[in-house]
Amino acid sequence: MRAKAPPPALSSQAPDDEPASSTERITAAITAAIVERRLMPGTKLAEQKLADIFSVSRTLVRQALNQLSRDRLVTLTPARGAFVAEPSVEEARQVFEVRRMLESSLLAQLVERITPAQLAELRQHLKAEAQAIARTDVPGRTRLLADFHRLLARMQGNEVLAQLLGDLLSRSSLISLMYQSDHSAAESHAEHVALVDALEARDKRAVQKLLRDHLGHVETSLRLQPRVADLAQALKS
């Protein structure tokens, strides 16, 4: 009897990743719009409108919104839909507390091992910050000021830490929108310059103090006072 031919070999080609990449594209676009202060807290994110904007199915939009909900950038409300999150005062305080812990540990290690090439990259980034501030590019400068901290995390070589910090920075941007930070971009930039100077000098004590001061200035400039809920109190002159 003639032997049966073996079954055709399975293709080694990866399955089509278009749905995944579309979901990532939507997630990245909405995150960037929040970070760059183009989407305000409380903004409704209608599935069909997003599907039309990105030319994708509502299923892919829903997947992106679910991811953003896990990242605490979007709130999903039954029967009402998705909205850009509105962080509470307590959440805002907790985000900055965790940032202080993470970034303090990060810089304590980085100051001992930072390379001349990394310092040059930081100087180039600072130059881009200054240029965005000079031309009053609000979305650009907001993104660059946050990216400074992401860049430091990547230089430390811990991708998990970089990802965690990136999530916190996105939430910090949302908090700044929610509580109307008065901390100027120019002041943040000057503090970034001082941090890089201290890193170059390998002055661990100065690096830690500058970081605490920098995050403290940003946090204290927020109006982290609970909103008045009582009508009589709200209307009191």
Side-chain angles (χ1 to χ4, degrees), residues 28-40 43 139-140 143 177:
I30 294 174
T31 299
I34 291 171
V35 169
E36 296 174 9
R37 306 188 179 193
R38 290 181 278 112
L39 270 180
M40 300 297 290
T43 301
R143 174 179 49 79
L177 276 172

Side-chain angles (χ1 to χ4, degrees), residues 19 36 53 63 70 74 89 98 110 115 125-126 134 150 170 178 200 202 230:
E36 296 174 9
I53 290 169
Q63 290 173 359
R70 289 192 290 272
V74 164
V89 167
V98 174
L110 185 61
T115 66
H125 185 90
L126 293 175
R150 291 187 180 90
S170 297
M178 181 77 178
E200 187 168 24
R202 300 192 184 276
D230 183 79

Side-chain angles (χ1 to χ4, degrees), residues 201-220:
R202 300 192 184 276
D203 188 337
K204 188 172 183 178
R205 183 174 297 180
V207 164
Q208 294 292 323
K209 181 180 186 305
L210 287 165
L211 175 68
R212 286 194 305 270
D213 290 348
H214 174 51
L215 293 181
H217 292 158
V218 176
E219 183 179 10
T220 55

Side-chain angles (χ1 to χ4, degrees), residues 34-78:
I34 291 171
V35 169
E36 296 174 9
R37 306 188 179 193
R38 290 181 278 112
L39 270 180
M40 300 297 290
T43 301
K44 183 172 177 59
L45 301 170
E47 284 185 8
Q48 187 57 58
K49 189 169 184 178
L50 290 171
D52 293 341
I53 290 169
F54 292 101
S55 301
V56 297
S57 68
R58 291 180 63 173
T59 299
L60 294 179
V61 168
R62 198 169 298 123
Q63 290 173 359
L65 293 175
N66 283 331
Q67 177 60 55
L68 289 162
S69 174
R70 289 192 290 272
D71 294 340
R72 303 297 182 92
L73 294 180
V74 164
T75 300
L76 300 178
T77 307

